[in-house]
Amino acid sequence: MEVRTRFAPSPTGYMHIGNLRTALFAFLFAKHHGGKFILRIEDTDQKRYVEGATEIIYSTLKTTHLKHDEGPDVGGDYGPYVQSERKEIYQKYAKMLVESGHAYYCFCDADEKEEQGFGYNRHCRNLSKEEVEKNLKEGKPHVIRQKIPLDGTTTFTDEVYGTITVENESLDDQVLLKRDGFPTYNFANVVDDHVMNITHVIRGKE
């Protein structure tokens, strides 16, 4: 298996030492194993986009000699490497999750919350198929939310922290696809890591 790591900064601010540290570890790990280091620009947060931030990412990587094997400026087999150019891919996977029963259309106002003030109240989770189709046909604004199991646990393994288990009841039905058709960060980076065959994700503690 070819090792493929990625550095996926967001141009919502200028590149800083923490970004560079993450890029360095991803680069060194890939090269140590004879693999590839990929640059992906995660610009789904259009409201916070900072003019010139992407150019600084390129120049910083060049100055520090962290040469990426694939990316927006060099190409590759898994492009495009800018998330705002990959909207159709995210929409495809979001609709697949809806069709398989793991996500649902939500037509609620953006600020609709539970009375306790925590998370979305899942009002649209159990809408009938007829109601959903009617709302879509009328062009009612909507998002697509993940359909989190209401009981049980979810477990994953982190190479540093080991096995981590989370109670599903503590999780919210998070938005995957926003009203403007753009994916949320949590959805887009997972889809991209999957379709770009990323083997190892190296990240900050947060």
Side-chain angles (χ1 to χ4, degrees):
M1 177 185 70
E2 179 185 56
V3 168
R4 290 174 59 84
T5 66
R6 48 79 162 171
F7 175 50
S10 173
T12 53
Y14 296 124
M15 191 165 171
H16 53 73
I17 191 65
N19 299 139
L20 187 58
R21 177 183 181 276
T22 298
L24 175 62
F25 275 87
F27 173 84
L28 293 175
F29 187 86
K31 296 308 168 184
H32 176 75
H33 293 282
K36 290 184 178 179
F37 172 59
I38 291 89
L39 173 65
R40 185 173 73 226
I41 303 298
E42 299 196 336
D43 62 341
T44 57
D45 191 345
Q46 297 286 298
K47 293 181 180 179
R48 296 173 56 214
Y49 177 80
V50 174
E51 194 69 36
T54 301
E55 288 69 27
I56 290 177
I57 293 169
Y58 293 142
S59 63
T60 302
L61 292 178
K62 183 177 180 180
T63 299
T64 54
H65 302 287
L66 300 183
K67 185 178 180 181
H68 46 285
D69 301 289
E70 300 173 22
D73 54 336
V74 298
D77 296 332
Y78 298 87
Y81 293 88
V82 177
Q83 286 188 334
S84 60
E85 300 173 9
R86 299 171 62 83
K87 287 176 64 177
E88 291 184 1
I89 296 174
Y90 309 129
Q91 291 168 356
K92 167 190 169 184
Y93 278 91
K95 289 176 182 177
M96 284 174 59
L97 288 173
V98 171
E99 292 169 0
S100 64
H102 295 93
Y104 60 95
Y105 291 100
C106 174
F107 304 91
C108 295
D109 292 335
D111 60 350
E112 184 169 345
K113 301 290 181 180
E114 288 181 294
E115 292 181 6
Q116 295 90 338
F118 175 76
Y120 171 63
N121 62 13
R122 297 189 168 103
H123 173 76
C124 291
R125 183 175 172 122
N126 297 310
L127 291 180
S128 68
K129 183 178 179 180
E130 290 72 24
E131 288 178 284
V132 171
E133 291 179 350
K134 177 177 180 293
N135 288 337
L136 291 176
K137 187 175 181 179
E138 293 176 353
K140 191 171 182 179
H142 62 273
V143 300
I144 292 181
R145 290 182 179 273
Q146 186 175 6
K147 197 171 188 178
I148 297 290
L150 300 179
D151 52 22
T153 60
T154 296
T155 299
F156 64 95
T157 301
D158 185 286
E159 291 293 339
V160 176
Y161 292 99
T163 300
I164 298 174
T165 298
V166 180
E167 296 288 337
N168 290 333
E169 66 179 4
S170 70
L171 302 176
D172 189 20
D173 283 4
Q174 295 189 5
V175 173
L176 303 180
L177 214 61
K178 296 179 283 188
R179 292 188 177 198
D180 59 6
F182 276 93
T184 55
Y185 164 79
N186 290 333
F187 183 54
N189 82 83
V190 170
V191 170
D192 286 342
D193 287 346
H194 172 65
V195 299
M196 290 182 177
N197 289 332
I198 301 302
T199 60
H200 298 77
V201 175
I202 299 172
R203 51 169 174 70
K205 182 177 179 180
E206 70 277 10

